[in-house]
Coordinates of all heavy atoms in Angstrom, one line a residue:
K4 N 82.3 87.2 103.0 CA 82.3 87.2 101.5 C 83.8 87.1 101.0 O 84.7 87.8 101.5 CB 81.6 88.5 100.9 CG 80.2 88.5 101.3 CD 79.6 89.7 100.7 CE 78.1 89.8 101.0 NZ 77.4 90.9 100.4
N5 N 83.8 86.4 99.9 CA 85.2 86.3 99.2 C 85.2 87.4 98.1 O 84.5 87.3 97.2 CB 85.3 84.9 98.6 CG 86.7 84.7 98.0 OD1 87.5 85.6 97.8 ND2 87.0 83.4 97.8
N6 N 86.1 88.3 98.3 CA 86.3 89.4 97.3 C 87.5 89.2 96.4 O 88.0 90.2 95.9 CB 86.4 90.7 98.1 CG 85.1 91.1 98.7 OD1 84.1 90.7 98.4 ND2 85.2 92.0 99.7
N7 N 87.9 88.0 96.2 CA 89.0 87.7 95.3 C 88.6 87.6 93.8 O 89.4 87.4 93.0 CB 89.7 86.4 95.7 CG 90.4 86.6 97.1 OD1 90.9 87.6 97.4 ND2 90.4 85.5 97.8
Y8 N 87.3 87.7 93.6 CA 86.8 87.6 92.2 C 86.8 89.0 91.6 O 86.6 90.0 92.2 CB 85.4 87.1 92.2 CG 85.3 85.6 92.7 CD1 84.9 85.4 94.0 CD2 85.7 84.6 91.9 CE1 84.8 84.1 94.5 CE2 85.6 83.3 92.4 CZ 85.1 83.1 93.7 OH 85.1 81.8 94.1
S9 N 87.0 89.0 90.3 CA 86.9 90.2 89.5 C 85.9 89.9 88.4 O 86.0 88.9 87.7 CB 88.3 90.6 88.9 OG 88.1 91.7 88.1
I10 N 85.0 90.8 88.2 CA 84.0 90.6 87.1 C 83.8 91.9 86.3 O 84.1 93.0 86.8 CB 82.6 90.2 87.7 CG1 82.1 91.2 88.6 CG2 82.7 88.8 88.4 CD1 80.6 91.0 89.0
D11 N 83.4 91.8 85.1 CA 83.1 92.9 84.3 C 81.6 93.0 84.2 O 80.9 92.0 84.0 CB 83.7 92.8 82.9 CG 85.2 93.0 82.9 OD1 85.7 93.6 83.8 OD2 85.8 92.5 82.0
I12 N 81.0 94.2 84.3 CA 79.6 94.5 84.2 C 79.4 95.3 82.9 O 80.0 96.4 82.8 CB 79.1 95.1 85.4 CG1 79.1 94.2 86.6 CG2 77.6 95.5 85.1 CD1 78.8 94.9 87.9
I13 N 78.6 94.7 82.0 CA 78.3 95.4 80.8 C 76.8 95.9 80.8 O 76.0 95.0 80.9 CB 78.5 94.5 79.5 CG1 80.0 94.1 79.5 CG2 78.2 95.2 78.2 CD1 80.3 93.0 78.5
M14 N 76.6 97.2 80.7 CA 75.3 97.7 80.8 C 74.9 98.4 79.5 O 75.3 99.5 79.3 CB 75.2 98.7 82.0 CG 73.8 99.2 82.2 SD 73.8 100.5 83.5 CE 74.4 99.6 84.9
P15 N 74.1 97.7 78.7 CA 73.5 98.4 77.5 C 72.5 99.5 78.0 O 71.8 99.3 79.0 CB 72.9 97.4 76.7 CG 73.3 96.1 77.3 CD 73.7 96.4 78.7
N16 N 72.5 100.6 77.3 CA 71.5 101.7 77.7 C 70.9 102.3 76.4 O 71.6 102.6 75.4 CB 72.1 102.8 78.5 CG 71.2 103.9 78.8 OD1 70.2 103.6 79.5 ND2 71.4 105.0 78.3
F17 N 69.6 102.4 76.4 CA 68.9 103.2 75.4 C 67.8 104.0 76.0 O 66.7 103.3 76.4 CB 68.4 102.3 74.2 CG 67.7 103.1 73.1 CD1 68.4 104.1 72.4 CD2 66.3 103.0 73.0 CE1 67.7 104.8 71.4 CE2 65.6 103.7 72.0 CZ 66.3 104.6 71.3
N18 N 67.9 105.3 76.2 CA 66.8 106.1 76.7 C 66.2 105.6 78.0 O 65.0 105.6 78.2 CB 65.7 106.3 75.6 CG 66.2 107.2 74.5 OD1 67.2 107.9 74.6 ND2 65.5 107.0 73.4
K19 N 67.1 105.2 78.9 CA 66.6 104.7 80.2 C 67.1 105.7 81.3 O 67.2 105.3 82.5 CB 67.2 103.3 80.5 CG 66.7 102.2 79.5 CD 65.2 102.1 79.6 CE 64.7 101.0 78.8 NZ 63.3 101.0 78.5
G20 N 67.1 106.9 81.0 CA 67.6 108.0 82.0 C 66.8 107.9 83.2 O 67.5 108.0 84.3
P21 N 65.5 107.7 83.4 CA 64.9 107.7 84.6 C 65.3 106.6 85.6 O 65.2 106.7 86.8 CB 63.4 107.5 84.3 CG 63.2 108.1 82.9 CD 64.6 107.7 82.2
Y22 N 65.8 105.5 85.0 CA 66.3 104.4 85.8 C 67.8 104.3 85.9 O 68.4 103.4 86.7 CB 65.8 103.1 85.1 CG 64.3 103.2 84.8 CD1 63.9 103.4 83.5 CD2 63.3 103.0 85.9 CE1 62.5 103.5 83.3 CE2 62.0 103.2 85.6 CZ 61.6 103.4 84.3 OH 60.3 103.5 84.0
L23 N 68.5 105.1 85.2 CA 70.0 104.9 85.0 C 70.7 105.2 86.3 O 71.7 104.4 86.6 CB 70.4 105.8 83.9 CG 71.7 105.5 83.2 CD1 71.9 104.1 82.8 CD2 72.0 106.4 82.0
K24 N 70.4 106.2 87.0 CA 71.1 106.5 88.2 C 71.1 105.3 89.2 O 72.1 104.9 89.7 CB 70.6 107.7 88.9 CG 71.3 108.1 90.2 CD 70.7 109.4 90.7 CE 71.4 109.8 92.0 NZ 70.8 110.9 92.7
E25 N 69.9 104.8 89.4 CA 69.7 103.6 90.3 C 70.5 102.4 89.9 O 71.2 101.7 90.6 CB 68.2 103.3 90.5 CG 68.0 102.2 91.5 CD 66.5 101.9 91.6 OE1 65.7 102.5 91.0 OE2 66.2 100.9 92.3
A26 N 70.5 102.2 88.6 CA 71.2 101.0 88.0 C 72.8 101.2 88.2 O 73.4 100.3 88.6 CB 70.9 100.8 86.5
I27 N 73.3 102.4 87.9 CA 74.7 102.6 88.0 C 75.1 102.5 89.4 O 76.2 102.0 89.8 CB 75.1 104.0 87.4 CG1 74.9 103.9 85.9 CG2 76.6 104.3 87.7 CD1 75.0 105.3 85.2
E28 N 74.4 103.1 90.4 CA 74.7 103.0 91.8 C 74.7 101.6 92.3 O 75.6 101.2 93.1 CB 73.7 103.9 92.6 CG 73.9 105.3 92.5 CD 72.8 106.1 93.2 OE1 71.7 105.6 93.5 OE2 73.1 107.4 93.4
S29 N 73.8 100.7 91.8 CA 73.8 99.3 92.2 C 75.1 98.7 91.6 O 75.7 97.8 92.4 CB 72.6 98.6 91.5 OG 72.7 97.2 91.7
V30 N 75.6 99.0 90.5 CA 76.8 98.4 90.0 C 78.0 98.9 90.8 O 78.9 98.1 91.2 CB 77.0 98.8 88.5 CG1 78.4 98.5 88.0 CG2 76.0 98.1 87.7
I31 N 78.0 100.2 91.1 CA 79.2 100.8 91.9 C 79.3 100.2 93.3 O 80.4 100.0 93.8 CB 79.0 102.3 91.9 CG1 79.3 102.9 90.5 CG2 80.0 102.9 92.9 CD1 78.9 104.3 90.4
N32 N 78.1 99.8 93.9 CA 78.1 99.4 95.2 C 78.3 97.8 95.4 O 78.2 97.3 96.5 CB 76.8 99.8 95.9 CG 76.7 101.3 96.1 OD1 77.7 101.9 96.4 ND2 75.5 101.8 95.9
Q33 N 78.7 97.2 94.3 CA 79.0 95.8 94.3 C 80.3 95.5 95.2 O 81.1 96.4 95.3 CB 79.2 95.2 93.0 CG 78.1 95.2 92.0 CD 76.9 94.4 92.6 OE1 77.1 93.2 93.0 NE2 75.7 94.9 92.6
T34 N 80.3 94.4 95.9 CA 81.4 94.1 96.7 C 82.6 93.5 95.9 O 83.7 93.4 96.4 CB 81.0 93.1 97.9 OG1 80.5 91.9 97.2 CG2 80.0 93.7 98.8
Y35 N 82.3 93.0 94.8 CA 83.3 92.4 93.9 C 84.1 93.5 93.1 O 83.5 94.6 92.9 CB 82.7 91.5 92.9 CG 82.2 90.2 93.5 CD1 80.8 90.1 93.6 CD2 83.0 89.2 94.0 CE1 80.3 88.9 94.2 CE2 82.5 88.0 94.6 CZ 81.1 88.0 94.7 OH 80.5 86.8 95.2
K36 N 85.3 93.3 92.9 CA 86.0 94.2 92.0 C 85.4 94.1 90.6 O 85.3 93.1 90.1 CB 87.5 93.9 92.0 CG 88.2 94.0 93.3 CD 89.7 93.6 93.2 CE 89.8 92.3 93.9 NZ 91.2 91.7 93.8
T37 N 85.1 95.2 90.0 CA 84.4 95.2 88.7 C 85.1 96.1 87.7 O 85.7 97.2 88.1 CB 82.9 95.6 88.8 OG1 82.9 96.9 89.3 CG2 82.2 94.7 89.8
G38 N 84.9 95.8 86.5 CA 85.2 96.7 85.3 C 83.8 97.0 84.9 O 83.0 96.1 84.5
D39 N 83.5 98.3 84.9 CA 82.1 98.7 84.5 C 82.1 99.4 83.2 O 82.7 100.3 82.9 CB 81.6 99.7 85.6 CG 81.7 99.1 87.0 OD1 81.5 97.8 87.1 OD2 82.0 99.8 87.9
Y40 N 81.3 98.9 82.3 CA 81.2 99.3 81.0 C 79.7 99.8 80.7 O 78.8 98.9 80.9 CB 81.6 98.3 79.9 CG 83.0 97.8 80.1 CD1 83.3 96.8 80.9 CD2 84.0 98.4 79.4 CE1 84.6 96.4 81.1 CE2 85.3 98.0 79.5 CZ 85.6 97.0 80.4 OH 86.9 96.6 80.5
I41 N 79.5 100.9 80.2 CA 78.2 101.3 79.8 C 78.2 101.6 78.3 O 79.1 102.4 77.8 CB 77.7 102.6 80.5 CG1 77.6 102.3 82.0 CG2 76.3 103.0 79.9 CD1 77.2 103.6 82.9
I42 N 77.4 100.9 77.5 CA 77.4 101.0 76.1 C 76.1 101.7 75.8 O 75.0 101.1 75.9 CB 77.5 99.7 75.3 CG1 78.5 98.7 75.9 CG2 77.6 99.9 73.8 CD1 79.9 99.3 75.9
D43 N 76.2 103.0 75.4 CA 74.9 103.8 75.2 C 74.6 103.6 73.6 O 75.4 103.9 72.8 CB 75.1 105.2 75.5 CG 73.8 106.0 75.4 OD1 73.0 105.9 76.3 OD2 73.6 106.6 74.3
D44 N 73.3 103.2 73.4 CA 72.9 102.9 72.1 C 72.3 104.1 71.4 O 71.1 104.1 70.9 CB 71.9 101.7 72.1 CG 71.7 100.9 70.8 OD1 72.6 101.2 70.0 OD2 70.8 100.2 70.7
C45 N 73.0 105.2 71.4 CA 72.5 106.4 70.7 C 71.3 107.0 71.4 O 70.4 107.4 70.7 CB 72.3 106.2 69.2 SG 72.3 107.6 68.2
S46 N 71.3 107.1 72.7 CA 70.1 107.7 73.4 C 69.9 109.1 73.1 O 70.9 109.9 72.8 CB 70.4 107.6 74.9 OG 70.4 106.2 75.3
S47 N 68.7 109.5 73.2 CA 68.3 110.9 72.9 C 67.7 111.6 74.1 O 67.2 112.6 74.0 CB 67.3 111.0 71.7 OG 66.1 110.2 72.0
D48 N 67.8 110.9 75.3 CA 67.3 111.5 76.5 C 68.4 112.0 77.3 O 69.5 112.3 76.8 CB 66.4 110.5 77.3 CG 67.2 109.3 77.8 OD1 68.4 109.2 77.5 OD2 66.7 108.5 78.6
Q49 N 68.3 112.1 78.6 CA 69.3 112.7 79.5 C 70.4 111.7 79.9 O 71.2 111.9 80.8 CB 68.7 113.4 80.8 CG 68.1 112.4 81.8 CD 66.7 111.9 81.5 OE1 66.3 111.9 80.3 NE2 66.0 111.4 82.5
S50 N 70.4 110.5 79.4 CA 71.3 109.4 79.7 C 72.8 109.9 79.7 O 73.5 109.6 80.6 CB 71.2 108.3 78.8 OG 69.9 107.6 79.0
N51 N 73.2 110.7 78.6 CA 74.6 111.1 78.6 C 75.0 111.9 79.7 O 76.1 111.7 80.3 CB 74.7 111.9 77.2 CG 76.2 112.2 77.0 OD1 77.0 111.4 76.9 ND2 76.4 113.5 76.8
E52 N 74.2 112.8 80.2 CA 74.5 113.7 81.3 C 74.6 112.8 82.6 O 75.5 113.1 83.4 CB 73.5 114.8 81.5 CG 73.4 115.8 80.4 CD 72.7 115.4 79.2 OE1 72.0 114.4 79.2 OE2 72.9 116.0 78.1
I53 N 73.7 111.9 82.8 CA 73.7 111.1 84.0 C 75.0 110.2 84.0 O 75.7 110.1 85.0 CB 72.5 110.2 84.0 CG1 71.3 111.0 84.2 CG2 72.6 109.2 85.2 CD1 69.9 110.3 84.0
I54 N 75.3 109.6 82.9 CA 76.5 108.7 82.8 C 77.8 109.6 83.1 O 78.6 109.2 83.8 CB 76.6 108.0 81.4 CG1 75.4 107.0 81.3 CG2 77.9 107.3 81.3 CD1 75.2 106.5 80.0
N55 N 77.9 110.7 82.5 CA 79.1 111.6 82.7 C 79.3 112.0 84.1 O 80.4 112.2 84.6 CB 79.0 112.8 81.7 CG 79.4 112.4 80.3 OD1 80.3 111.6 80.2 ND2 78.8 113.0 79.3
E56 N 78.1 112.2 84.9 CA 78.3 112.6 86.3 C 79.0 111.5 87.0 O 79.8 111.7 87.9 CB 76.9 112.9 86.9 CG 76.4 114.2 86.5 CD 77.3 115.4 87.1 OE1 77.7 115.3 88.3 OE2 77.6 116.3 86.3
F57 N 78.6 110.2 86.7 CA 79.2 109.1 87.4 C 80.6 108.8 87.0 O 81.5 108.4 87.8 CB 78.4 107.8 87.2 CG 77.2 107.8 88.1 CD1 76.0 108.2 87.6 CD2 77.3 107.3 89.4 CE1 74.8 108.1 88.5 CE2 76.2 107.2 90.2 CZ 75.0 107.6 89.8
R58 N 80.9 109.2 85.7 CA 82.3 109.0 85.2 C 83.3 109.8 85.9 O 84.5 109.5 86.0 CB 82.3 109.2 83.7 CG 81.7 108.2 82.9 CD 81.7 108.5 81.4 NE 83.0 108.5 80.9 CZ 83.4 109.2 79.9 NH1 82.5 110.0 79.2 NH2 84.7 109.2 79.5
K59 N 82.9 111.0 86.4 CA 83.8 111.9 87.1 C 84.4 111.2 88.3 O 85.5 111.5 88.7 CB 83.1 113.2 87.4 CG 82.7 114.0 86.3 CD 82.0 115.3 86.7 CE 81.4 116.0 85.5 NZ 80.6 117.2 85.9
E60 N 83.6 110.4 89.0 CA 84.0 109.9 90.4 C 84.4 108.4 90.3 O 84.9 107.9 91.3 CB 82.9 110.1 91.4 CG 82.6 111.6 91.6 CD 81.4 111.8 92.6 OE1 81.2 110.8 93.3 OE2 80.8 112.8 92.5
N61 N 84.1 107.8 89.3 CA 84.2 106.3 89.2 C 84.9 105.9 88.0 O 84.9 106.7 87.0 CB 82.8 105.6 89.3 CG 82.1 106.0 90.6 OD1 82.4 105.5 91.6 ND2 81.1 106.9 90.4
K62 N 85.4 104.7 87.9 CA 86.1 104.2 86.8 C 85.2 103.5 85.9 O 85.3 102.3 85.6 CB 87.3 103.3 87.2 CG 88.3 104.1 88.0 CD 89.4 103.2 88.4 CE 90.4 103.9 89.2 NZ 91.6 103.1 89.7
I63 N 84.3 104.2 85.3 CA 83.3 103.6 84.4 C 83.8 103.9 82.9 O 84.1 105.0 82.6 CB 81.9 104.2 84.6 CG1 81.4 103.8 86.0 CG2 80.9 103.7 83.5 CD1 80.1 104.5 86.3
K64 N 83.8 102.9 82.1 CA 84.1 103.0 80.7 C 82.8 103.3 80.0 O 81.9 102.5 80.1 CB 84.9 101.8 80.2 CG 86.3 101.7 80.7 CD 86.4 100.4 81.4 CE 87.7 100.2 82.2 NZ 87.5 100.0 83.6
Y65 N 82.8 104.3 79.2 CA 81.6 104.7 78.5 C 81.8 104.8 77.0 O 82.7 105.5 76.5 CB 81.2 106.1 79.1 CG 80.0 106.8 78.4 CD1 78.8 106.0 78.1 CD2 79.9 108.1 78.2 CE1 77.8 106.6 77.5 CE2 78.9 108.8 77.7 CZ 77.8 108.0 77.3 OH 76.7 108.7 76.7
I66 N 81.0 104.0 76.3 CA 81.0 104.1 74.8 C 79.7 104.5 74.3 O 78.6 103.9 74.7 CB 81.4 102.6 74.3 CG1 82.8 102.2 74.6 CG2 81.2 102.7 72.8 CD1 82.9 101.5 75.9
K67 N 79.6 105.5 73.6 CA 78.3 106.0 73.0 C 78.4 105.7 71.6 O 79.2 106.2 70.8 CB 78.2 107.5 73.3 CG 76.8 108.0 72.8 CD 76.6 109.5 73.3 CE 75.3 110.1 72.7 NZ 74.1 109.4 73.2
L68 N 77.4 104.9 71.1 CA 77.3 104.5 69.7 C 76.7 105.7 68.9 O 75.8 106.5 69.4 CB 76.4 103.3 69.5 CG 76.9 102.1 70.2 CD1 76.0 100.9 70.0 CD2 78.3 101.7 69.8
N69 N 77.0 105.8 67.7 CA 76.5 106.9 66.8 C 75.2 106.5 66.1 O 74.6 107.4 65.5 CB 77.5 107.3 65.8 CG 78.8 107.9 66.4 OD1 78.7 108.7 67.4 ND2 80.0 107.6 65.8
K70 N 74.9 105.2 66.2 CA 73.7 104.8 65.5 C 73.1 103.7 66.4 O 73.8 102.8 67.0 CB 74.1 104.2 64.2 CG 72.9 103.7 63.4 CD 73.3 103.3 62.0 CE 72.0 102.8 61.2 NZ 72.4 102.2 59.9
N71 N 71.7 103.7 66.5 CA 71.1 102.7 67.4 C 71.2 101.3 66.7 O 70.9 101.1 65.5 CB 69.6 103.1 67.5 CG 68.8 102.1 68.4 OD1 68.4 101.1 67.9 ND2 68.8 102.5 69.6
K72 N 71.8 100.3 67.5 CA 72.0 99.0 67.0 C 71.3 97.9 67.7 O 71.4 96.7 67.4 CB 73.6 98.7 67.0 CG 74.4 99.7 66.2 CD 74.5 99.1 64.8 CE 75.5 100.0 64.0 NZ 75.9 99.3 62.8
G73 N 70.8 98.2 68.9 CA 70.1 97.2 69.7 C 71.0 96.7 70.8 O 72.1 96.8 70.9
P74 N 70.3 96.1 71.9 CA 71.0 95.7 73.0 C 72.0 94.5 72.8 O 73.1 94.5 73.5 CB 69.9 95.2 74.0 CG 68.7 95.0 73.2 CD 68.8 95.9 72.0
S75 N 71.7 93.6 71.9 CA 72.6 92.6 71.6 C 74.0 93.1 71.1 O 75.0 92.7 71.5 CB 72.1 91.5 70.6 OG 70.9 90.9 71.2
F76 N 73.8 94.0 70.2 CA 75.1 94.6 69.6 C 75.9 95.3 70.7 O 77.1 95.2 70.8 CB 74.7 95.6 68.5 CG 75.8 96.2 67.8 CD1 76.4 95.6 66.8 CD2 76.4 97.4 68.3 CE1 77.5 96.2 66.1 CE2 77.5 98.0 67.7 CZ 78.1 97.4 66.6
C77 N 75.2 96.1 71.6 CA 75.8 96.7 72.7 C 76.5 95.8 73.6 O 77.7 96.0 74.0 CB 74.8 97.5 73.6 SG 74.1 98.9 72.7
R78 N 75.9 94.7 73.9 CA 76.6 93.6 74.8 C 77.8 93.1 74.1 O 78.9 92.9 74.7 CB 75.6 92.5 75.2 CG 74.7 92.9 76.3 CD 73.8 91.8 76.8 NE 72.8 91.3 75.8 CZ 71.6 91.8 75.7 NH1 71.2 92.8 76.5 NH2 70.8 91.3 74.8
N79 N 77.7 92.8 72.8 CA 78.8 92.3 72.1 C 80.0 93.3 72.0 O 81.2 92.9 72.1 CB 78.4 91.9 70.7 CG 77.6 90.6 70.7 OD1 77.7 89.8 71.7 ND2 76.8 90.4 69.7
V80 N 79.7 94.6 71.9 CA 80.8 95.6 72.0 C 81.5 95.5 73.4 O 82.7 95.6 73.4 CB 80.2 97.1 71.7 CG1 81.2 98.1 72.1 CG2 79.7 97.2 70.3
G81 N 80.7 95.5 74.4 CA 81.3 95.4 75.7 C 82.1 94.1 75.9 O 83.2 94.2 76.5
I82 N 81.7 93.0 75.3 CA 82.5 91.8 75.5 C 83.8 91.9 74.7 O 84.9 91.5 75.2 CB 81.6 90.6 75.0 CG1 80.5 90.3 75.9 CG2 82.5 89.4 74.7 CD1 79.4 89.3 75.4
R83 N 83.7 92.5 73.5 CA 85.0 92.7 72.7 C 86.0 93.6 73.5 O 87.2 93.4 73.3 CB 84.7 93.2 71.3 CG 84.2 92.2 70.4 CD 83.9 92.8 69.1 NE 82.6 93.5 69.2 CZ 81.8 93.8 68.3 NH1 82.1 93.5 67.1 NH2 80.7 94.3 68.5
I84 N 85.5 94.6 74.2 CA 86.4 95.4 74.9 C 87.0 94.7 76.0 O 88.2 94.8 76.3 CB 85.6 96.7 75.4 CG1 85.2 97.5 74.3 CG2 86.5 97.5 76.3 CD1 84.3 98.6 74.7

């Protein structure tokens, strides 16, 4: 495999706590060098706690929105960053 590529992964999240751990682990285990961004769309479940656990050990950039704006808005925030 050619690992000379660098990609950014933007992951919108809204109340997907039950699936979040698996999704983040999949991103972390990629063979490409990545910039990982999680844009949380004002979740009210355990998403914040799950994301913060991964932030301790990995270079995940985490933005938590104060108001629910939808997945398109979250992706655009990630792209602007």
Side-chain angles (χ1 to χ4, degrees):
K4 292 183 179 181
N5 186 345
N6 290 342
N7 293 327
Y8 296 101
S9 176
I10 60 172
D11 289 334
I12 297 174
I13 300 167
M14 181 184 301
N16 177 66
F17 178 68
N18 289 339
K19 297 296 183 197
Y22 311 101
L23 200 50
K24 181 178 178 183
E25 182 179 358
I27 294 171
E28 286 174 344
S29 174
V30 169
I31 291 170
N32 292 324
Q33 295 295 313
T34 57
Y35 294 104
K36 295 178 248 173
T37 63
D39 305 324
Y40 300 87
I41 300 175
I42 315 299
D43 187 81
D44 202 12
C45 197
S46 291
S47 59
D48 67 354
Q49 72 276 22
S50 293
N51 187 55
E52 292 80 14
I53 294 167
I54 295 167
N55 280 325
E56 281 299 312
F57 281 96
R58 287 178 65 206
K59 292 177 186 176
E60 300 175 19
N61 303 283
K62 295 179 180 179
I63 295 174
K64 290 123 188 119
Y65 175 40
I66 294 92
K67 182 169 177 66
L68 302 181
N69 294 324
K70 184 177 181 184
N71 185 272
K72 300 273 193 165
S75 297
F76 183 87
C77 291
R78 282 188 289 273
N79 288 334
V80 168
I82 290 169
R83 279 182 284 207
I84 294 171

